[in-house]
Amino acid sequence: MKIAVCVKQVPDSWAEKKMVNGILDRENVDAVLNDLDEYAVEEALRIAEAHGGNEEGGSNTITVISMGPERATEAVRKALSMGVNDAILVTDPQLAGADALATSAVLAAVIEKGGFDLVICGTESTDARMSVVPAMLAERLNAAQLTFASKVTVDPAAGKVSITRVTEAGVDEMHAQFPCVISVVEKINEPRYPSFKGIMAAKKKTIESRDLATVGVSAEAAWSLVADATPRPARATGIKVTDDGTGGEQLVAYLAEKKLI
Amino acid sequence: MSTVLMLADFVGTKATKTNAELATAGARIGEVTAVVLAPVGQGATYAAAINRGPIAKIIVVESDSFLANGVAAVADVLAQVIATESPAAVLIASHAFGKEVAARTAVKSGSGIITDAVDVSADITATQLVFGGSTTVHSKVSHGTPIITVRPNSVDADTTESTPAVETQSFSVSDASKKATVTSSQPPVQGGRPELTEANIVVSGGRGTNGDFSAVENFADVLGAAVGASRAATDAGWYPHSYQVGQTGKTVSPQLYVANGISGAIQHRAGMQTSKTIVVVNKDPEAPLFEIADFGVVGDLFAVLPKATEGIKAHKS
Ligand SMILES: Cc1cc2nc3c(=O)[nH]c(=O)nc-3n(C[C@H](O)[C@H](O)[C@H](O)COP(=O)(O)OP(=O)(O)OC[C@H]3O[C@@H](n4cnc5c(N)ncnc54)[C@H](O)[C@@H]3O)c2cc1C
Ligand SMILES: Nc1ncnc2c1ncn2[C@@H]1O[C@H](COP(=O)(O)O)[C@@H](O)[C@H]1O
C-alpha cells in the first residue's frame, strides 16, 4: 500500500495567538506538530504494521506531506521519527495565509503525482479548527471520503477500507474501495513516542522540498478575506467563594442576581 | 431580490432549532430558500418540519443516496441546486457533517468558504470568534458564492411560524459521489434533556465526578439544562462520547455553562470558552478553569450541587 499522511505544523495550543494584517502570526509563537495529526501518523503506522510493515523495499510505504513555512520541517521530522518512510514539504512565499481551499489544492496535487491508496489526515488543525481539508481532498482526488474515523480496518487484498465514523450526529459504519481519504479522531489510538533509534533514523530520512512551481498548481492563497480582527476584552475577573456549607446557596443567589434562573 | 439558500438541518428525521437561526441570518441578505434533502418518499414529511423562521420557499430533492453515501451525495446535489438558483450566499449548520458538506460544495462550485460563523450580516460579512474566543474576526468571501457555516445557538432566531411554498426538484447523484457506503447509522442517545449545542444552559461533569453523574444530572434537570462531559469522563466510559465538550467534542456557547470537577485543560476550554456566563465548581482552588469563571465555588461538587439544586427548587416555588 502507498499511504500518504497529511500533517500540519501549528502554533502550540497554549501559545497566545495574534492576527497581523488579517492572518495568523506564525512567526512569533512556538510551533508543534498538530497533535491530532499524530493520531493520523500512528494509524498509518499501525495499518502498515498489520500488513507487512513499512521496511525499505517492503510492500508498504508511508509518506508524510505537509504544506507550511520552512520551519515546519521540525514537525515533519517528528513524524519521521515516529517511523514513516519519507516526507514532502511544500513551502512557497505565495502560500502565506493560504486557506483550506488553497491548502487542499496543493496537497491534492502532490498526492496525485505520487499516487496513493490511502490518505490519512487528522480531523482538525488546532489553529484553523475547520475540519474541512480532508473532505476537500476527497473531492479533489475523486476518492472515497471516510472521515471522523474512530476505527479503521483495511483489507489490502480486496482494496477495501471499513471505518466507524463518530460525530455529534451519531455513529455510522462505512466502507469504500481504495483510494480513500480517511480522517481520524483522537479516540482511535495512542500515538507512540519517537524512540531514540527513531529520532536518529529520522535525521537520515529525506524531506523533499517543493515550491508551487514544482507542485504545478497556481493557487491563490485565500478565497475569503479578513476585514478586521479585534481582541475581545478579557473576561472580567469573576467572583470566587470557598464553600463553607453555603457555597450552593451563594451559587443560586448569583444565578438569580444575573437573572439566569 | 436575491435568493439565499440554506441547507435544512436534521438530526435523524428531526428538524433542528438551527433552521430558524439559518433562516434569520439568511433573511438579512435576501429571500430564503431552504433545501430539504430527504430519502425517497419522505420529502413532504421532511419539508413540513421546516416551518419556523423567515423561509420563503422550500426546494425538496429526494434520493436514498443522502443516507447511503453521506457527505459526498449531499454536496453533489447542493452544488447542482446552487448552479440553478445562483444564490447570493449559502448557509449551512456548523457541525461535522455541515462543515464537510460545505467543504465539498465549495470545491465543486469554485467558491470561498467560512466556517463557524457566529453571525452573518446583510452584506454577507461573517463574524467568527477565533483562538478560543479571544479574538473577533469579520471576514468576507471573495470568490464565487459565499458558503458559510453558522454555529448553532449563535444567531438570535425569529421563530415565527412560516408556510413556505414547497417545490420538488430532481437531481441525480453522480457515481463519483457514491464511493463511500454507509451500512448502518446509530443516532446519538438523546434522553429527555435538550440537545447540547442547542441548550441555553449546559451543566457538565469531569473526572471530579468519579463516575457518579447524579449530582450533575439533578442540577441540570432543575435548570432544564443539557448535560456535558470532559474527555476524562467520556474516556472513562462514564458518559457517552457524544456528550464530550471540547476541541474534539462539541463546541457549545450557552447563556450559562456550569463546569463541575473539570480542571480546565486547553482542549476543554476550546469547546466552552465562548459561553456567556461560566460557573465553576472545583475543590482545587488552583484549577485553571477558575481563570475564566464568572463565578467560582471552591468546594466538593457532591456538597455544593445538591444544595444548589435545593436552592433552585426553593427559588422557583
Ligand atoms: C488531542 C486531544 C484532544 C482532547 N480533546 C478534549 C476535548 O474535546 N474535551 C475535553 O474535555 N478534553 C479533551 N482533551 C483532554 C484534556 O487535555 C484533559 O485531559 C481533560 O479535559 C481533563 O478532564 P477533567 O478536567 O475532567 O479531568 P482532570 O484534569 O483530572 O480534572 C479533574 C478536576 O476535578 C476536580 N475534582 C476532583 N474531585 C472533585 C470533587 N469531589 N468536587 C469538585 N472537584 C473535584 C479536581 O480538582 C480537578 O481539577 C484532549 C486531549 C488531547 C491530547
Ligand atoms: N498545511 C497543511 N499541510 C498538511 N496537512 C494539512 C494542512 N492543513 C490541514 N491539513 C490536514 O487536514 C486536517 C484538517 O485540517 P483543517 O481542515 O485545517 O482543520 C489536519 O489534521 C491535517 O491532517
Side-chain angles (χ1 to χ4, degrees):
Chain A
M1 281 176 285
K2 248 176 116 66
I3 306 176
V5 184
C6 296
V7 307
K8 185 180 187 185
Q9 190 185 44
V10 295
D12 190 345
S13 302
W14 283 104
E16 194 179 320
K17 289 167 226 164
K18 281 205 289 282
M19 301 281 276
V20 175
N21 301 325
I23 57 177
L24 174 61
D25 176 13
R26 295 179 189 276
E27 299 279 309
N28 298 308
V29 291
D30 286 340
V32 294
L33 172 58
N34 179 30
D35 52 16
L36 292 169
D37 297 347
E38 291 184 21
Y39 299 85
V41 173
E42 178 65 35
E43 197 58 23
L45 291 166
R46 290 188 188 196
I47 290 169
E49 282 158 5
H51 301 285
N54 63 324
E55 302 297 319
E56 264 310 308
S59 52
N60 304 303
T61 52
I62 308 172
T63 302
V64 154
I65 300 173
S66 187
M67 186 191 101
E70 210 124 332
R71 67 191 282 223
T73 315
E74 296 157 37
V76 170
R77 193 73 74 190
K78 172 149 192 208
L80 286 173
S81 66
M82 287 172 74
V84 304
N85 299 77
D86 49 25
I88 298 169
L89 173 62
V90 183
T91 301
D92 195 297
Q94 260 179 281
L95 288 170
D99 65 6
L101 285 158
T103 304
S104 62
V106 169
L107 296 175
V110 174
I111 294 165
E112 196 135 54
K113 208 166 176 179
F116 68 96
D117 298 305
L118 304 176
V119 177
I120 308 182
C121 297
T123 33
E124 170 177 301
S125 51
T126 52
D127 54 349
R129 302 208 59 204
M130 291 182 77
S131 292
V132 294
V133 167
M136 287 179 178
L137 283 176
E139 176 70 35
R140 291 187 191 279
L141 292 164
N142 195 15
Q145 178 187 329
L146 297 176
T147 46
F148 287 84
S150 65
K151 181 165 186 257
V152 178
T153 315
V154 179
D155 179 349
K160 186 181 168 190
V161 182
S162 308
I163 68 152
T164 303
R165 172 180 166 97
V166 185
T167 66
E168 56 267 85
V171 181
D172 295 341
E173 298 298 331
M174 301 180 72
H175 64 82
Q177 294 297 123
F178 288 176
C180 304
V181 177
I182 299 167
S183 78
V184 300
V185 301
E186 98 295 352
K187 305 240 179 236
I188 196 165
N189 58 40
E190 198 52 60
R192 67 196 65 187
Y193 287 104
S195 64
F196 179 69
K197 205 171 130 224
I199 294 170
M200 296 316 282
K203 294 194 171 149
K204 294 196 215 88
K205 290 180 182 167
T206 325
I207 302 180
E208 188 192 324
S209 10
R210 294 190 189 169
D211 59 11
L212 270 185
T214 7
V215 172
V217 290
S218 55
E220 206 170 318
W223 281 8
S224 56
L225 298 172
V226 171
D228 58 72
T230 33
R232 294 215 302 166
R235 285 193 108 91
T237 319
I239 305 161
K240 192 164 155 191
V241 301
T242 301
D243 184 31
D244 54 3
T246 64
E249 284 139 47
Q250 292 186 62
L251 172 51
V252 175
Y254 174 80
L255 296 179
E257 183 200 316
K258 292 285 167 191
K259 307 224 178 325
L260 286 162
I261 49 173
Chain B
M1 196 179 183
S2 55
T3 301
V4 174
L5 290 185
M6 58 170 268
L7 178 62
D9 190 47
F10 292 88
V11 170
T13 55
K14 199 176 143 266
T16 67
K17 226 173 85 179
T18 316
N19 288 302
E21 297 163 10
L22 295 175
T24 304
R28 298 174 190 152
I29 305 162
E31 215 165 62
V32 177
T33 296
V35 179
V36 171
L37 305 183
V40 172
Q42 298 193 41
T45 318
Y46 274 55
I50 306 300
N51 56 1
R52 293 200 176 271
I55 300 171
K57 184 178 149 185
I58 291 179
I59 293 176
V60 176
V61 184
E62 293 187 351
S63 165
D64 287 335
S65 230
F66 301 136
L67 290 179
N69 307 106
V71 173
V74 169
D76 188 340
V77 168
L78 184 59
Q80 295 179 60
V81 177
I82 293 171
T84 58
E85 300 292 315
S86 312
V90 181
L91 304 183
I92 301 175
S94 210
H95 39 50
F97 186 83
K99 291 204 278 191
E100 292 197 323
V101 167
R104 295 189 71 131
T105 306
V107 172
K108 281 181 190 290
S109 64
S111 296
I113 171 176
I114 294 173
T115 56
D116 275 310
V118 293
D119 207 7
V120 183
S121 68
D123 68 347
I124 324 182
T125 298
T127 308
Q128 292 162 290
L129 300 177
V130 301
F131 309 151
S134 66
T135 304
T136 305
V137 168
H138 291 109
S139 41
K140 281 187 93 142
V141 165
S142 55
H143 277 67
T145 309
I147 297 185
I148 302 174
T149 70
V150 182
R151 202 181 269 179
N153 221 1
S154 301
V155 174
D156 220 346
D158 164 2
T159 54
T160 323
E161 212 154 317
S162 60
T163 43
V166 180
E167 188 184 306
T168 303
Q169 297 190 3
S170 95
F171 293 98
S172 57
V173 176
S174 71
D175 286 341
S177 305
K178 293 182 179 166
K179 293 199 159 149
T181 309
V182 179
T183 49
S184 79
S185 288
Q186 234 184 305
V189 262
Q190 195 57 77
R193 301 193 178 91
E195 211 284 316
L196 248 185
T197 53
E198 295 184 349
N200 287 326
I201 304 179
V202 174
V203 177
S204 62
R207 200 191 311 273
T209 61
N210 206 12
D212 179 1
F213 262 67
S214 59
V216 169
E217 289 181 334
N218 290 342
F219 190 54
D221 288 344
V222 77
L223 290 169
V227 172
S230 74
R231 182 175 165 197
T234 59
D235 271 0
W238 300 339
Y239 237 70
H241 174 64
S242 54
Y243 290 86
Q244 183 174 313
V245 171
Q247 189 197 317
T248 47
K250 292 187 178 176
T251 301
V252 299
S253 49
Q255 292 299 324
L256 172 63
Y257 187 86
V258 186
N260 304 287
I262 295 178
S263 63
I266 193 109
Q267 294 92 349
H268 187 78
R269 289 190 191 197
M272 45 68 70
Q273 216 151 12
T274 56
S275 304
K276 280 16 147 244
T277 299
I278 297 174
V279 169
V280 172
V281 179
N282 193 308
K283 64 183 185 190
D284 173 11
E286 305 298 327
L289 203 55
F290 279 123
E291 288 163 20
I292 59 166
D294 298 290
F295 191 83
V297 182
V298 179
D300 188 331
L301 70 93
F302 293 105
V304 176
L305 289 185
K307 288 225 169 110
T309 306
E310 289 314 313
I312 287 173
K313 281 187 192 152
H315 177 86
K316 281 187 179 163
S317 59

